Amino acid sequence: MDMKIKHLLLAGFALLAVSCTTRVADLTVASTKNMDLKHTAGYTTTYNVRSKGEDKKHVIIFFPTGIPDMKEAIDNAIEKNGPNCVGLANATLERKWFYIPFIYGQESFVAEGDPIMRKN
């Protein structure tokens, strides 16, 4: 194949493949668990030890396998830190997706933050 045709095909394919990352929220505290905020002395946070959780769904051809859920992403980040973790401090939520038309794609929510641990 001629080199010009290869470059045109590659450029055309690159234009078809699209992706995006959007920051949905910056939160002081994010939790899907019950927290007693009247007794904040019962919780501790280790700053700069980030925990990351993701809920990802696939798009095959143009059929989605489901809808990603922000709550599941937060739950996954919290559960990575064991049963004493009840939330995330300084949390960020992002929505990510990419799609190659009629082939494959992914859509996901990503939650990241400093784990809030319940003192025993």
Side-chain angles (χ1 to χ4, degrees), residues 95-108:
R95 178 181 176 262
K96 296 181 177 188
W97 65 272
F98 79 89
Y99 184 63
I100 301 169
F102 305 111
I103 298 175
Y104 180 75
Q106 286 182 351
E107 185 176 0
S108 64

Side-chain angles (χ1 to χ4, degrees), residues 46-68:
T46 306
Y47 293 101
N48 300 321
V49 178
R50 307 289 281 177
S51 179
K52 192 176 199 177
E54 183 174 23
D55 186 33
K56 183 186 301 183
K57 303 297 181 201
H58 307 278
V59 178
I60 301 168
I61 302 175
F62 56 86
F63 298 106
T65 59
I67 299 172

Side-chain angles (χ1 to χ4, degrees), residues 55 57 67-74 109:
D55 186 33
K57 303 297 181 201
I67 299 172
D69 188 14
M70 219 182 300
K71 181 187 178 307
E72 285 297 317
I74 295 170
F109 278 106

Side-chain angles (χ1 to χ4, degrees), residues 12-24:
F13 182 73
L15 289 175
L16 288 176
V18 293
S19 68
C20 183
T21 299
T22 305
R23 182 170 273 190
V24 177

Side-chain angles (χ1 to χ4, degrees), residues 69-91:
D69 188 14
M70 219 182 300
K71 181 187 178 307
E72 285 297 317
I74 295 170
D75 280 344
N76 291 340
I78 291 171
E79 290 168 3
K80 283 185 177 178
N81 296 289
N84 287 334
C85 188
V86 294
L88 301 172
N90 304 318

